[in-house]
Amino acid sequence: MTKSKITKKEMAKQRTIITLMALLLISVGIGFSFVPLFKGLNFGLDLQGGFEVLYEVESIDGSKMTNNKMTATYKTLSKRIDSLGVTEPEIILEGNNKIRVKLAGVTNQEEARKQLSTVATLSFRDSNDNLLMDSSVLNAGSAKVSQDSSGKPAVLLSIKNKDKFFAITNKVKDYENNVIVIWLDYEDGKNSYANEQSMCGSSGSNCLSAATVSQGFASDVIIQGNFTEEEVNNLVDLINSGSLPSKLTEVSSKTVGASFGDATLTKTLIAGIIGVTLIAIMLVSLYHFSGIISSISVLIYSFLVFAVFWVVGGVLTLPGIAALVLGIGMAVDANVITFSRIKEELYKGKNLQYAYKAGTKSSLRAIMDSNLTTLLVAIIMFVFGESSVKGFATMLIITIAVTMFTMVLLTRVLLGLFVKTGFFDDKTNLFIRVNKKDIPDISKNEKQRVMPFAKVDFLRHTKKVVAFSLIIVVCGIILFGVKGMNLGIDYQAGSNITIETSEKLSKTAIQKDLEELQLESSSISFNENEADIRISDVLGAAQVNKVSHYFEDKYQAKVDIGVVSNVVKEELTKNAIFSILLSLIGIILYISVRFRFSYAIGAVVALIHDVLIIVSVFAIFHLEVSVMFIAAILAIIGYSINDTVVCFDRIRENLQKQSNKKLNDASFSEVINQSIRETFTRSLYTSITTILPVLALIFLGSSEILNFNIAMLVGLISGTYSSIFIAPLIYYWKEKKNLDKGIDTKRKNKYHDDVEEKKIKGVNC
């Protein structure tokens, strides 16, 4: 008998060691794969330098800009960017009449501006490049996809000046080489049909088409050839863009030097690595072996996020990296919830096998609800956000999707493999940091020994928390009235000039420089070897070049200039307010459907509290409010509701257990207190694991996202205590008056019905 037991233990030990070694080998392989994967990503201009510009598109003839006209303009810009040699440009249609162009790696902003903003010119020429007609003979933007007589794809041109078109085509039909060549942005001396005949129609040529003319035409004509459907659609767009009398007005721009990008990338990566390392150390110290498995999952999670981002062709930006690091902290939450549930079952006297099954099953709904609410906010950010906010939202959506696979499914499967070996059955301290002496023997009717915060009345302490928050908000309101908010360039329009140089700069010298440039500063600040200058003037393209060259020549400096017009300021402000309100409405609807409306009221009050705390702190310390500040607000809304949902889920679960009892004020408040006690440790650990990478980014990351990370830190702290003290309190006040009627607890728990334990002699009896 003894021999048999020893053999089983040895086999369990061998299986555990083999499985763990396999996991470690996979982790090492993933670690080495990170470098080539990371190098294969497309980096945004804030990480490698470049040029970004936002254009307002208008028709010269005053006609409305339709979707077709915007698409045609988009195609024209794409073709022009090809000639700049940019490998991964971003061209984004924003609203009904704006196009944002991001050109990472571009070094000559003057050439880029000139190339992009020139009105598209369509011309008809003969085989010797002589001009025959311009776009005035066509109805503007009216080219359509059609078919030739044999049913093949073709292009239909709508002729406006039929007399002129007939006279020229009738003349060309008698030429020795009777073709009419259609050009977009033809340049004398650079373009030639003789040289580009073989390339005509391809993406690398300004020659769009060469049509043979056999007779004069006095009506609409069809350009036919061996075109594919895609080639015809592209040709229609290009012809329309060239015949479209449109103009591009620059409403904002930003230039980033390559050195800025390199330094930013290095700092942020180091901060990210340190943040993730701190999370791993914390997980192992809190959960021992389970923490090791969770840390491996974090590594796999990070790899998969980058892999998905690479597959979808995403462009990695600074906000994207911030979302990734934040996402890691949020992803760990799924494991913390699961581990907390497993420990609770062990403290009730269950064996490890049962505790694992019950813990993983009972935690699933809270994980699903908390991630779905965060996903809802991320989608709102993506749909209504602009530029950097949209990039942040894209990465956040990817991290949530990968979280559900790695931190929910993968971690559970890996833990299950080790639990099934039986090796940890009597080693719960090694497995998940639960001392064996703290597990009661239920066969001897022993009571639960470990009950964290059993004597703490959380609801009683809410007045102190509310008073603390009120003090912060009142101080914020007072200082807002005295000094106002420190609005960044995004929300007050103007230009921001950043100068990096090895020379010693002074405020007096910079002011003299601005006087010489006939500019007036609204603020000048210094950070190490950088000077940040804010001016109220909205610099035009020529002024940007002049200012940039001035500081480059005088100080041998690297210059970064951002420009935002009033048009952009008003739209960003409107979108920011709309996004926050829409997030709150979406959360109310979701919580009302998944829980009850009274829960939704508590959740939204807590979220409004978090937003007010962040805004108040920024008003008190006069920190800059930028687009990324709004991204932080939205991220905190998603994160804070995550915490609140977990607490509410436990309240609902505990109320379901009381469904056969009539609750009074004391018993109802005790149910809420018990729920907070059971989730308090998890909320604390989750917040710490999220705060760690944010702190790393604050102290070691780029200054460009410093205020974003400060907003995140303040929001994480306020979100943690509002989900513990404020949201449950509001729910308690709302439902207290319904005690006589009885609280509805009949809504069934789809994900964690009671797990029926089979009592097996020698195992759990």
Side-chain angles (χ1 to χ4, degrees):
M1 192 72 175
T2 306
K3 186 176 180 182
S4 174
K5 285 185 178 179
I6 293 172
T7 303
K8 286 181 180 178
K9 285 184 179 180
E10 287 179 347
M11 288 178 63
K13 185 177 181 180
Q14 287 175 1
R15 287 198 298 271
T16 302
I17 292 172
I18 290 170
T19 307
L20 183 59
M21 290 300 294
L23 279 176
L24 291 174
L25 285 173
I26 292 171
S27 300
V28 171
I30 289 174
F32 280 111
S33 302
F34 258 113
V35 175
L37 176 63
F38 190 76
K39 286 183 177 179
L41 293 174
N42 302 319
F43 294 110
L45 60 90
D46 54 358
L47 294 177
Q48 65 165 314
F51 173 61
E52 175 183 331
V53 60
L54 179 64
Y55 289 115
E56 188 172 42
V57 187
E58 299 174 287
S59 294
I60 293 175
D61 60 7
S63 61
K64 184 180 178 182
M65 288 301 297
T66 63
N67 287 337
N68 289 337
K69 292 178 180 179
M70 287 295 289
T71 302
T73 307
Y74 174 95
K75 292 283 186 180
T76 303
L77 288 173
S78 298
K79 200 165 185 71
R80 290 176 179 177
I81 288 169
D82 287 341
S83 66
L84 291 171
V86 179
T87 55
E88 294 293 340
E90 284 186 86
I91 309 174
I92 307 160
L93 297 177
E94 295 187 358
N96 298 321
N97 65 335
K98 291 186 183 65
I99 294 181
R100 186 180 300 275
V101 182
K102 295 184 178 183
L103 306 175
V106 166
T107 55
N108 191 333
Q109 283 82 31
E110 292 178 58
E111 182 188 347
R113 269 196 172 91
K114 182 180 177 182
Q115 189 79 353
L116 291 172
S117 60
T118 305
V119 177
T121 304
L122 192 76
S123 60
F124 298 82
R125 299 174 182 271
D126 62 22
S127 58
N128 294 319
D129 304 325
N130 298 309
L131 179 64
L132 301 173
M133 299 173 282
D134 58 27
S135 61
S136 62
V137 298
L138 302 177
N139 286 310
S142 61
K144 296 179 182 177
V145 175
S146 184
Q147 292 181 336
D148 62 17
S149 56
S150 62
K152 292 181 180 179
V155 178
L156 175 65
L157 294 181
S158 177
I159 307 302
K160 180 180 179 181
N161 190 335
K162 292 182 172 59
D163 292 337
K164 183 175 182 180
F165 196 79
F166 175 78
I168 291 189
T169 52
N170 192 51
K171 184 178 178 182
V172 172
K173 76 176 183 5
D174 297 323
Y175 288 0
E176 183 178 350
N177 190 359
N178 57 332
V179 296
I180 290 182
V181 186
I182 305 175
W183 290 90
L184 183 69
D185 295 335
Y186 175 88
E187 287 189 48
D188 221 354
K190 179 180 178 182
N191 298 121
S192 167
Y193 180 65
N195 296 331
E196 298 184 45
Q197 183 175 354
S198 61
M199 298 169 56
C200 196
S202 67
S203 61
S205 173
N206 285 13
C207 178
L208 301 183
S209 175
T212 302
V213 180
S214 56
Q215 65 183 72
F217 294 96
S219 61
D220 294 348
V221 295
I222 287 179
I223 301 175
Q224 59 188 18
N226 293 317
F227 297 128
T228 64
E229 195 80 35
E230 184 180 355
E231 288 171 338
V232 165
N233 282 312
N234 187 52
L235 187 55
V236 165
D237 287 334
L238 290 171
I239 289 174
N240 281 337
S241 69
S243 64
L244 185 67
S246 62
K247 65 175 181 177
L248 301 175
T249 303
E250 186 177 309
V251 292
S252 75
S253 65
K254 181 181 181 182
T255 60
V256 180
S259 62
F260 281 138
D262 291 341
T264 296
L265 180 59
T266 303
K267 288 179 182 177
T268 308
L269 278 178
I270 291 172
I273 291 169
I274 291 174
V276 172
T277 303
L278 290 173
I279 288 175
I281 292 170
M282 181 178 171
L283 286 171
V284 174
S285 65
L286 289 175
Y287 301 110
H288 292 178
F289 183 81
S290 295
I292 294 174
I293 299 301
S294 183
S295 299
I296 292 172
S297 295
V298 168
L299 179 65
I300 296 171
Y301 160 89
S302 303
F303 178 81
L304 287 178
V305 167
F306 279 125
V308 170
F309 204 69
W310 177 78
V311 168
V312 301
V315 178
L316 189 63
T317 61
L318 199 54
I321 291 178
L324 171 64
V325 176
L326 172 66
I328 290 172
M330 295 174 68
V332 171
D333 179 45
N335 284 177
V336 173
I337 294 174
T338 302
F339 295 163
S340 297
R341 287 284 193 166
I342 293 173
K343 291 180 74 170
E344 284 176 23
E345 297 297 333
L346 289 171
Y347 287 139
K348 291 175 184 176
K350 313 296 184 180
N351 64 65
L352 184 59
Q353 301 275 345
Y354 176 85
Y356 165 75
K357 291 179 182 177
T360 53
K361 189 173 184 180
S362 61
S363 62
L364 183 57
R365 184 172 69 173
I367 294 170
M368 290 291 291
D369 280 334
S370 60
N371 276 279
L372 286 173
T373 48
T374 307
L375 179 63
L376 174 66
V377 177
I379 291 172
I380 290 170
M381 273 196 279
F382 180 82
V383 173
F384 296 101
E386 303 289 353
S387 189
S388 55
V389 175
K390 195 180 287 286
F392 179 86
T394 302
M395 182 60 85
L396 195 57
I397 290 169
I398 291 173
T399 61
I400 292 168
V402 176
T403 291
M404 298 310 295
F405 172 72
T406 54
M407 308 308 285
V408 178
L409 178 62
L410 184 62
T411 302
R412 290 167 184 237
V413 170
L414 293 177
L415 277 182
L417 289 174
F418 289 105
V419 169
K420 286 177 183 177
T421 64
F423 177 74
F424 293 101
D425 285 351
D426 57 349
K427 301 179 180 65
T428 52
N429 185 51
L430 175 63
F431 183 74
I432 202 165
R433 200 177 170 230
V434 173
N435 289 320
K436 200 170 182 180
K437 66 179 182 179
D438 293 330
I439 302 175
D441 189 340
I442 55 178
S443 65
K444 297 178 181 178
N445 293 321
E446 291 181 357
K447 301 296 182 182
Q448 184 172 340
R449 300 185 185 116
V450 178
M451 300 178 69
F453 311 100
K455 296 182 180 180
V456 179
D457 187 345
F458 284 93
L459 286 179
R460 199 180 73 178
H461 293 291
T462 52
K463 290 181 181 178
K464 299 173 187 175
V465 174
V466 171
F468 171 74
S469 293
L470 279 175
I471 291 171
I472 294 176
V473 172
V474 169
C475 289
I477 292 171
I478 292 171
L479 285 165
F480 172 76
V482 174
K483 301 194 310 186
M485 296 297 289
N486 179 13
L487 296 176
I489 186 175
D490 303 310
Y491 291 105
Q492 65 174 1
S495 303
N496 193 75
I497 307 166
T498 304
I499 305 169
E500 182 185 24
T501 178
S502 57
E503 293 189 30
K504 184 73 174 177
L505 296 174
S506 68
K507 191 171 184 178
T508 305
I510 294 293
Q511 285 174 333
K512 286 183 179 179
D513 292 331
L514 293 175
E515 286 175 12
E516 189 174 331
L517 290 165
Q518 296 182 328
L519 299 172
E520 186 176 346
S521 68
S522 56
S523 69
I524 301 174
S525 59
F526 298 91
N527 178 28
E528 295 180 356
N529 60 338
E530 288 181 12
D532 188 75
I533 308 164
R534 180 74 50 77
I535 59 175
S536 56
D537 304 77
V538 178
L539 299 179
Q543 290 174 295
V544 167
N545 290 328
K546 179 183 177 182
V547 172
S548 182
H549 288 316
Y550 176 88
F551 285 113
E552 285 172 355
D553 294 340
K554 184 169 184 178
Y555 297 110
Q556 287 73 52
K558 297 177 177 66
V559 182
D560 177 6
I561 300 177
V563 182
V564 174
S565 71
N566 280 304
V567 174
V568 178
K569 178 196 76 174
E570 290 166 7
E571 194 162 310
L572 285 175
T573 304
K574 180 183 70 177
N575 284 347
I577 295 170
F578 186 69
S579 297
I580 291 172
L581 290 176
L582 195 61
S583 296
L584 295 176
I585 292 169
I587 285 168
I588 289 173
L589 293 174
Y590 184 86
I591 300 292
S592 297
V593 171
R594 293 292 291 137
F595 292 82
R596 292 183 69 194
F597 183 64
S598 53
Y599 287 101
I601 293 173
V604 169
V605 169
L607 293 178
I608 293 172
H609 160 273
D610 298 337
V611 172
L612 287 175
I613 291 293
I614 297 172
V615 173
S616 297
V617 169
F618 268 62
I620 291 168
F621 294 99
H622 209 56
L623 299 173
E624 184 179 274
V625 174
S626 65
V627 172
M628 288 309 296
F629 172 80
I630 301 301
I633 292 282
L634 290 166
I636 287 301
I637 287 174
Y639 186 84
S640 181
I641 193 65
N642 182 308
D643 258 4
T644 303
V645 164
V646 172
C647 184
F648 280 170
D649 182 74
R650 189 63 68 95
I651 292 173
R652 177 175 57 179
E653 181 183 340
N654 287 333
L655 283 173
Q656 286 173 352
K657 294 175 183 177
Q658 305 289 326
S659 58
N660 297 324
K661 301 177 183 178
K662 187 169 180 64
L663 296 174
N664 55 32
D665 185 42
S667 58
F668 180 48
S669 63
E670 178 54 29
V671 169
I672 295 176
N673 267 315
Q674 179 189 344
S675 303
I676 297 173
R677 291 179 199 124
E678 290 171 350
T679 57
F680 180 78
T681 303
R682 167 262 157 205
S683 296
L684 195 62
Y685 288 169
T686 299
S687 297
I688 292 172
T689 55
T690 312
I691 285 171
L692 285 174
V694 172
L695 284 173
L697 285 170
I698 287 174
F699 290 109
L700 301 170
S702 168
S703 59
E704 288 190 19
I705 53 170
L706 176 62
N707 286 350
F708 167 82
N709 288 309
I710 291 173
M712 287 299 304
L713 178 62
V714 173
L716 288 170
I717 294 170
S718 67
T720 300
Y721 74 74
S722 70
S723 66
I724 295 169
F725 294 100
I726 295 175
L729 176 67
I730 300 298
Y731 168 74
Y732 167 72
W733 283 346
K734 178 71 176 64
E735 286 290 349
K736 187 170 62 169
K737 61 185 179 183
N738 296 326
L739 288 174
D740 292 336
K741 303 174 186 176
I743 297 174
D744 178 19
T745 60
K746 294 180 180 179
R747 188 169 290 178
K748 294 297 181 184
N749 189 333
K750 181 179 178 182
Y751 293 102
H752 50 77
D753 297 322
D754 288 339
V755 179
E756 191 177 321
E757 180 184 13
K758 294 182 179 180
K759 293 187 177 181
I760 303 171
K761 191 173 182 180
V763 177
N764 54 8
C765 293

